[in-house]
Amino acid sequence: MIAGDLLAALPSPEAAISPLAEGAALLRAFAAEEAPALLEALNSVLAAAPFRHMLTPGGHRMSVAMSNCGRLGWVTDRRGYRYDDRDPETERPWPAMPSLFASVAARAAARSGYPAFAPDCCLINRYHPGARMALHQDRDERDFSQPIVSVSLGLPAIFLFGGLTREARPLRVRLAHGDVVVWGGRVRLAFHGVAPLANGLHPLTGSARINLTFRKAA
Ligand code: MD6
Ligand code: FE
């Protein structure tokens, strides 16, 4: 095979981007190369702010375990959903956002048409088999002109991507290790969720899917 043929056989960066809807893009395997380093940095974050199962305002224990890093963290308890600059478990500030996290998020956003994305929060979600996320809108942030960047690591999941009302029947999108979804513009307030995680084992995360969602909350 000559060099030109070899290059043509590789997926081009352009080919790896697929629009999900106006304003939303799926960047397949965008973070795959950096995933081991992301997971290593994540371990330091989790040493200071371990995963916990938060309570919904209605008093249900979430099946997804969560933590945060960055200036603000997303929390839920009997008092409601909100961003807080302290971890309620330790009353200390959330761990700093690793620079690699911020850089992957900013690059994915720029690639999707959102330049200068500067997240102040990274919500960390851990799913084990059976864990799910009910359809919801992300609307606790102050400025909806900023997108959300979502990085999937470990086991694959079916992401449910609905419409601007709860009634619209969601698209089902398989998100695999290293896939990144960038979400903003006209669909910034779309309903979305995650179907119950299937059993599996991933070489880097074992029986878990990890999702990092980056937000500009303040
Ligand atoms: C998850 N993600 O993938 C949950 N929200 O585990 C979200 O709730 C989400 O991926 C807004 C934008 C992208 C997301
Ligand atoms: Fe969400």
Side-chain angles (χ1 to χ4, degrees):
M1 199 189 263
I2 61 166
D5 291 334
L6 190 59
L7 271 180
L10 293 170
S12 77
E14 296 302 325
I17 186 166
S18 34
L20 273 179
E22 193 184 330
L26 168 55
L27 280 54
R28 289 241 183 254
F30 186 88
E33 229 168 84
E34 274 135 330
L38 288 170
L39 288 166
E40 193 172 311
L42 179 62
N43 278 335
S44 313
V45 167
L46 294 171
F51 281 124
R52 77 292 306 267
H53 292 271
M54 298 184 193
L55 288 184
T56 66
H60 297 286
R61 175 186 187 266
M62 296 189 75
S63 60
V64 176
M66 296 181 169
S67 185
N68 290 279
C69 61
R71 204 176 68 70
L72 292 170
W74 185 87
V75 296
T76 173
D77 58 21
R78 294 305 301 239
R79 285 154 52 208
Y81 305 131
R82 64 193 172 277
Y83 284 95
D84 201 314
D85 61 5
R86 284 176 188 262
D87 177 346
E89 298 285 319
T90 61
E91 288 171 7
R92 288 200 308 256
W94 295 102
M97 191 183 301
S99 55
L100 179 63
F101 280 32
S103 120
V104 168
R107 275 183 276 137
R111 182 79 181 71
S112 308
Y114 298 100
F117 177 55
D120 54 15
C121 167
C122 174
L123 170 64
I124 306 155
N125 293 149
R126 184 192 64 194
Y127 297 72
H128 279 148
R132 61 187 286 273
M133 174 110 35
L135 281 185
H136 65 278
Q137 293 172 296
D138 287 15
R139 57 174 193 200
D140 301 316
E141 302 74 29
R142 195 162 286 163
D143 178 3
F144 297 146
S145 77
Q146 291 301 301
I148 292 177
V149 173
S150 161
V151 177
S152 292
L153 299 169
L155 289 181
I158 302 294
F159 190 59
L160 308 171
F161 177 64
L164 295 173
T165 64
R166 190 176 282 284
E167 290 68 40
R169 176 207 260 258
L171 282 177
R172 298 169 65 87
V173 183
R174 184 177 188 272
L175 295 182
H177 180 69
D179 288 352
V180 178
V181 176
V182 178
W183 177 291
R186 293 232 318 130
V187 296
R188 176 62 180 71
L189 291 175
F191 281 86
H192 60 280
V194 177
L197 199 79
N199 283 318
L201 272 182
H202 188 278
L204 296 184
T205 64
S207 62
R209 168 180 184 253
I210 306 284
N211 174 258
L212 310 175
T213 61
F214 295 90
R215 297 99 188 277
K216 173 81 175 66

